[in-house]
Amino acid sequence: MLAACVWLAACSGGRDRVTEGDATGVLHFGNGTEPQGIDPHAVTGIPEWHILGTLFEGLVTLDPVTLDPVPGMADKWEVSEDGLTYRFHIREDAKWSDGRPLTAEDFHWSWWRALQPALGNEYSYMLFPLKNAEAYLTGKITDFDQVGVHVIDPHTLQVELNAPTPYFLQLMAHHSTFPVPRHVIEKFGVPTDKFTKWTRVGNFVGNGPFKLVGWKLNKFLRVERNPAYWDAAHVRLNAIVFYPTENSVTEERMFRSGQLHRTEEVPIDKIPGWRDNHPDQIRLNVYEGTYYYMINVKRPGLSDVRVRKALNMAIDRKTLTETVLKGVQVPAYAMTPPGTIGYEPPKLFDFDPEGARKLLAEAGYPDGKGMPPIELLYNTLESHRKIAVALQQMWKKNLNIDVAMVNQEWKVFLNTRQNKDFTLARQGWIGDYVDPNTFMDLWITDGGNNNTNWSNKEFDDLILRRIPAMKTRAERLAGFYKAETILMEEVPVIPIYTYVTKHLVRSSVKGMPPNLLDYYAFKDIYLEPEK
Amino acid sequence: MSRFIWMRLLQAIPVLLAVITFTFFLIRFAPGGPFDQEKAVIPEVKRALEAQYHLDQPLLVQYGTYLKDLAHGDLGPSFKYPGRSVNELIASGLPATMELGLYALLIAVVLGMAAGLMAALYPNTWRDYLPMSAAMTGICMPMLLLGPLLVLVFGIWLEWVPVSGWGDVPGDKILPSLTLGSAYAAYVARLTRGGVLEVMSQDYIRTARAKGLPERVVIFKHALRGGLIPVVAYLGPAFAGLLSGSFVVETVFQIPGLGRFFVQAAFNRDYTMILGTTTFLAALIIIFNLLSDVLAAWLNPRVRGALEGKA
């Protein structure tokens, strides 16, 4: 046995994927999980988003530093004075990876498909800023010509919106709005059938800087440079290999042994070690996401805003993030992460046990006496448990309130939360685009993700009517500030921390700047062998 | 003999049907569905998704449809991976899991039998205590701990073998096979020791020795053959266990096998995938149990005679 080990070890020496990749221009990318698929209208996850960013391109792409829209399939566009009409000029040399020209008609058809009710496209709401798109998906109208997308000529696409939507161009860089190849999809079945084989290697056609060349389930997905891409000369990598790396401990080990250029995660316990020994290879960056607890405001005790405020003020977020979270995450005092297109959310409270006790006493529960029972619900995961335990102790120590912890398996948890059968429940929200709206429109009355029973007329009015009508960025941000002030004064939600992305990246990887969305412009990435 | 096999296969049908029925209804009664996720899905979209998978039909109709498709060998489409069938997913994961299971079984048999035999031949000496305490440790040590431990020693400190993968780099199959096989090797060692010790006290061994047969022949031809019956009876369920229980090893070592699908399917409420893998593994367990029964019968002259007499 031992002899066999030694012999095999002798043969395995000297093969390091990363070094080989540096020399041949192949990026080895740890991608979290096996992609659900690569049909842009059938998937929702982050790993899929990465892969689709190499295989397709939308009307625009994003600058990886500023996240501003830059030309993609459209080489230029005009916006009407009122911000309601966009005219996109599709570039003359736009082609599918099989060489077929890509036109405005392709976008029109793709959005028609994305909005087909029968398709069951979970990301269809990304097209809802389009005039009548929501009405079409929900079956209120059946004539697609009434939806705000029109082909003027093969290279001109006109889009009409419900309201001026400053983040609309950002949505055009998201995979839910990408063009899909009608000529291929229809060859393998009907457009609304997700179960055809059009996305298989050999059948698949895209329009991005890379094309699909290999896909082995649970092993890897490989893309290579697409010569038919309009900007092919600019693409610097020869290939990218995406690995499903579910287990972050294994992933970290793969990185250490030179099998990956980049990891999707870093186990939180390993972060201090990397920070001390290889600060050049660990990347921690603020992410467009918030971790929080929802409060069911209909529950006894919690229907009193003073109690909700007291719970909020009794949490020492600084200690929590520094100890339990190893100083990786950032304490949050509002829903919207700071720095979202220059927006700074209001900070209405701080850790204040004295003030919290006073509020609790005013509400009729001095020193926690007579407080109805509170349960803290989270899904079974060690990291959630640690946070719940810390909160439980802080509330006991600072308010003398006993909070029971309840954990449920993920899908059971989602079900309970959706049915509003909780007093406090954990949630994490990742923004779909960089704009406070993606964190604010959550909380409108009876919104699909607002499970708190909280409702405020002025807040609804701001989010649904007044802010969409505002013209300038400054005016909008002031509007959001006002809305978020209402939210944080009424406290249907207890923000805990702002997410931070955690990646290990080899120093040979260049052209991969950090940004709030953790967005990658794959065509800009290149490899420079380490010295 | 063949009548015995046919009877057993026929008996398997109601067992499988019970497994399918039980699993089908049990997973439907679990709270939460395949389309629940952190961001709520628009009701119209959710309805469309449910219609695509016929979840909008009465449960009994769905059950009937499932059985009908199953009779045609169709395990249905996966919920988690739209565009992939469960048949395809199982087929993609099976080779790696089978290979891993086979290597692990080989390690279990070779290591386990050698250790067990040594212990049985020198009972109550250090040559007994050493392998048996090692076996006890092997049984107690969870794979979740053993895997990373082996990786740390042989992969990272000594750098003898790769730390993850399956068939990418020479030698990357060693650690996973060893991790998965060791617990089974420990059981095999204990079973071998017990079996051989018992046989060694039998009359026919004394007879063999009295005939003046060399000790080598006594041990390997007579003692081992009889002593192995409990081991062989264990191997069938063990192999089935290796196939269905490889989840931890597959995750730790990044192996594209069936075990990962099996466990994730339950978390994802991927109904068809849960049913497909459960049914498939149940069928495998039945087949391997049958095989080990046949093998045990062949090794045990008394049972063999009875079976052949019947046939």
Side-chain angles (χ1 to χ4, degrees):
Chain A
M1 193 70 213
L2 207 66
C5 284
V6 174
W7 174 76
L8 277 158
C11 309
S12 68
R15 280 197 53 183
D16 174 337
R17 250 182 349 217
V18 162
T19 319
E20 215 172 278
D22 285 345
T24 52
V26 180
L27 178 71
H28 295 281
F29 195 97
N31 200 30
T33 58
E34 170 68 22
Q36 274 186 285
I38 51 170
D39 181 336
H41 296 152
V43 301
T44 52
I46 303 288
E48 293 80 4
W49 181 61
H50 290 148
I51 294 170
L52 293 173
T54 66
L55 296 175
F56 290 96
E57 186 171 278
L59 287 168
V60 305
T61 65
L62 301 181
D63 180 306
V65 177
T66 61
L67 294 179
D68 286 332
V70 291
M73 281 293 118
D75 53 3
K76 52 186 188 298
W77 55 87
E78 293 108 37
V79 190
S80 65
E81 190 86 345
D82 57 6
L84 291 176
T85 309
Y86 283 69
R87 192 170 265 228
F88 293 98
H89 301 277
I90 314 287
R91 57 180 72 250
E92 298 284 333
D93 52 353
K95 280 198 212 86
W96 292 102
S97 57
D98 58 358
R100 197 185 158 105
L102 188 152
T103 64
E105 181 55 47
D106 283 306
F107 276 95
H108 182 267
W109 187 83
S110 301
W111 292 1
W112 169 83
R113 180 179 187 251
L115 289 171
Q116 286 311 302
L119 184 65
N121 176 8
E122 288 164 69
Y123 250 138
S124 49
Y125 67 85
M126 294 290 268
L127 284 169
F128 284 1
L130 262 63
K131 204 170 88 187
N132 287 331
E134 185 168 5
Y136 183 81
L137 182 102
T138 53
K140 289 188 189 76
I141 58 167
T142 50
D143 179 11
F144 193 72
D145 284 342
Q146 291 181 38
V147 177
V149 54
H150 303 284
V151 177
I152 306 295
D153 65 53
H155 290 282
T156 315
L157 187 77
Q158 182 160 307
V159 178
E160 286 128 32
L161 307 184
N162 289 316
T165 310
Y167 52 87
F168 176 68
L169 281 175
Q170 275 189 53
L171 304 181
M172 298 298 102
H174 187 271
H175 65 74
S176 50
T177 69
F178 285 173
V180 289
R182 177 179 190 173
H183 60 289
V184 180
I185 293 176
E186 290 188 334
K187 194 161 90 189
F188 290 96
V190 293
T192 51
D193 182 0
K194 279 196 291 206
F195 306 114
T196 69
K197 295 194 185 300
W198 81 269
T199 54
R200 301 304 169 86
V201 179
N203 304 343
F204 180 82
V205 168
N207 70 326
F210 296 87
K211 57 180 188 179
L212 181 69
V213 294
W215 187 1
K216 234 177 143 204
L217 274 172
N218 262 343
K219 210 163 157 114
F220 69 85
L221 185 145
R222 185 183 173 99
V223 301
E224 281 175 12
R225 182 202 286 274
N226 169 16
Y229 178 62
W230 66 272
D231 199 14
H234 180 113
V235 179
R236 300 182 67 172
L237 288 172
N238 288 319
I240 306 171
V241 191
F242 293 96
Y243 298 91
T245 46
E246 256 140 46
N247 184 318
S248 61
V249 178
T250 307
E251 189 187 34
E252 191 250 7
R253 221 163 51 215
M254 289 169 76
F255 181 84
R256 253 191 293 161
S257 63
Q259 294 185 59
L260 294 176
H261 277 109
R262 177 262 187 202
T263 68
E264 177 66 24
E265 263 299 318
V266 188
I268 198 147
D269 297 325
K270 305 248 177 188
I271 288 176
W274 280 97
R275 232 175 354 202
D276 293 345
N277 303 319
H278 296 280
D280 55 319
Q281 297 192 355
I282 184 152
R283 295 201 187 172
L284 306 171
N285 294 295
V286 173
Y287 188 41
E288 179 82 344
T290 307
Y291 185 104
Y292 54 93
Y293 274 90
M294 285 195 277
I295 302 178
N296 188 344
V297 301
K298 285 246 170 87
R299 286 292 163 100
L302 294 170
S303 52
D304 189 324
V305 69
R306 289 170 296 192
V307 175
R308 303 202 294 266
K309 274 188 177 162
L311 288 178
N312 210 1
M313 285 156 64
I315 300 170
D316 183 357
R317 290 169 176 76
K318 206 160 157 282
T319 306
L320 179 79
T321 48
E322 274 167 13
T323 55
V324 177
L325 303 169
K326 311 264 187 226
V328 175
Q329 321 285 5
V330 180
Y333 298 89
M335 261 310 286
T336 314
T340 305
I341 56 160
Y343 171 79
E344 291 302 323
K347 187 180 174 189
L348 303 183
F349 62 92
D350 210 336
F351 174 51
D352 178 7
E354 199 53 50
R357 272 192 292 274
K358 226 177 112 208
L359 276 170
L360 198 65
E362 279 170 26
Y365 310 109
D367 196 31
K369 277 190 195 72
M371 185 69 202
I374 297 182
E375 276 183 359
L376 202 158
L377 175 71
Y378 60 96
N379 54 301
T380 314
L381 199 71
E382 185 56 19
S383 52
H384 298 326
R385 195 188 65 84
K386 281 184 185 163
I387 292 168
V389 168
L391 294 189
Q392 186 190 38
Q393 286 170 354
M394 288 176 188
W395 284 328
K396 178 72 192 165
K397 182 169 163 245
N398 299 328
L399 299 175
N400 197 26
I401 291 180
D402 289 304
V403 173
M405 303 201 325
V406 181
N407 71 84
Q408 292 181 343
E409 186 263 352
W410 177 235
K411 294 278 186 177
V412 180
F413 165 79
L414 289 174
N415 198 48
T416 311
R417 198 175 66 186
Q418 196 63 38
N419 294 332
K420 304 181 183 177
D421 189 13
F422 65 89
T423 39
L424 298 177
R426 185 207 74 83
Q427 185 165 37
W429 189 261
I430 309 296
D432 288 320
Y433 45 88
V434 191
D435 192 279
N437 192 59
T438 183
F439 289 91
M440 286 294 107
D441 70 355
L442 273 174
W443 304 108
I444 56 169
T445 303
D446 293 330
N449 290 292
N450 176 5
N451 302 323
T452 62
N453 286 314
W454 180 74
S455 160
N456 182 294
K457 280 211 177 65
E458 198 192 346
F459 182 88
D460 289 355
D461 188 49
L462 265 168
I463 299 300
L464 296 176
R465 289 197 314 109
R466 277 156 61 198
I467 294 175
M470 289 171 181
K471 293 276 185 286
T472 66
R473 178 184 269 201
E475 208 184 343
R476 282 185 82 241
L477 295 191
F480 283 120
Y481 191 91
K482 199 169 167 196
E484 191 150 15
T485 304
I486 296 173
L487 184 76
M488 292 321 299
E489 261 171 1
E490 300 240 329
V491 210
V493 53
I494 302 177
I496 309 286
Y497 66 78
T498 302
Y499 280 103
V500 163
T501 53
K502 311 179 280 289
H503 306 298
L504 293 169
V505 180
R506 287 295 282 250
S507 43
S508 58
V509 181
K510 308 286 177 196
M512 206 163 89
N515 57 58
L516 206 53
L517 277 182
D518 206 22
Y519 167 88
Y520 297 89
F522 286 97
K523 68 176 180 182
D524 291 344
I525 299 174
Y526 62 99
L527 296 165
E528 219 170 62
E530 290 163 1
K531 282 167 209 98
Chain B
M1 192 75 174
S2 71
R3 190 188 134 91
F4 164 75
I5 296 173
W6 277 114
M7 283 302 289
R8 287 286 299 270
L9 284 176
L10 275 179
Q11 283 166 10
I13 295 174
V15 173
L16 262 184
L17 203 65
V19 168
I20 295 165
T21 310
F22 191 65
T23 315
F24 185 92
F25 290 100
L26 199 68
I27 51 177
R28 292 312 177 85
F29 293 132
F35 308 118
D36 288 329
Q37 46 175 295
E38 187 79 300
K39 292 185 182 180
V41 180
I42 302 168
E44 284 81 8
V45 170
K46 195 164 175 180
R47 271 200 293 280
L49 287 168
E50 282 168 356
Q52 281 169 6
Y53 290 91
H54 310 296
L55 296 185
D56 50 347
Q57 292 170 358
L59 203 54
L60 277 175
V61 174
Q62 293 180 42
Y63 175 66
T65 315
Y66 186 79
L67 285 186
K68 210 176 85 199
D69 289 346
L70 188 66
H72 295 98
D74 177 6
L75 297 170
S78 159
F79 284 74
K80 172 76 182 170
Y81 303 100
R84 302 255 181 207
S85 68
V86 172
N87 295 52
E88 186 189 356
L89 293 172
I90 290 182
S92 84
L94 193 61
T97 299
M98 276 288 210
E99 203 188 338
L100 173 65
L102 218 61
Y103 292 155
L105 192 70
L106 211 67
I107 288 174
V109 169
V110 172
L111 275 185
M113 272 173 42
L117 194 62
M118 182 163 81
L121 294 181
Y122 305 97
N124 303 322
T125 65
W126 67 269
R127 277 183 277 203
D128 179 12
Y129 298 140
L130 186 73
M132 281 309 111
S133 46
M136 211 55 222
T137 319
I139 291 170
C140 297
M141 176 115 59
M143 278 182 240
L144 204 58
L145 177 66
L146 182 65
L149 217 63
L150 288 177
V151 165
L152 187 69
V153 176
F154 295 102
I156 293 176
W157 287 348
L158 299 172
E159 291 187 14
W160 285 359
V161 280
V163 295
S164 71
W166 188 254
D168 301 328
V169 187
D172 61 6
K173 294 180 179 174
I174 295 176
L175 286 187
S177 309
L178 207 59
T179 308
L180 188 59
S182 63
Y184 291 88
Y187 275 109
V188 169
R190 292 199 68 85
L191 285 174
T192 309
R193 179 181 182 271
V196 172
L197 268 182
E198 197 197 320
V199 168
M200 291 298 268
S201 63
Q202 298 278 326
D203 288 344
Y204 70 88
I205 296 293
R206 203 178 316 140
T207 312
R209 283 198 176 128
K211 277 200 301 189
L213 285 177
E215 191 64 12
R216 181 171 43 86
V217 178
V218 173
I219 292 167
F220 285 97
K221 188 155 179 216
H222 298 283
L224 203 54
R225 190 163 169 177
L228 280 189
I229 291 170
V231 177
V232 170
Y234 170 69
L235 286 186
F239 190 59
L242 284 167
L243 294 185
S244 56
S246 57
F247 166 69
V248 171
V249 173
E250 286 179 17
T251 309
V252 168
F253 291 97
Q254 195 73 18
I255 298 169
L258 199 58
R260 274 160 87 182
F261 283 135
F262 187 41
V263 174
Q264 283 159 13
F267 290 128
N268 294 328
R269 299 289 190 277
D270 192 337
Y271 295 147
T272 43
M273 190 72 192
I274 300 172
L275 268 170
T277 40
T278 309
T279 311
F280 181 75
L281 288 172
L284 275 187
I285 291 171
I286 290 170
I287 289 168
F288 285 115
N289 275 338
L290 177 60
L291 278 180
S292 79
D293 282 357
V294 170
L295 204 61
W298 174 76
L299 280 174
N300 188 336
R302 274 171 300 201
V303 181
R304 185 172 61 213
L307 285 173
E308 275 164 357
K310 255 198 227 167

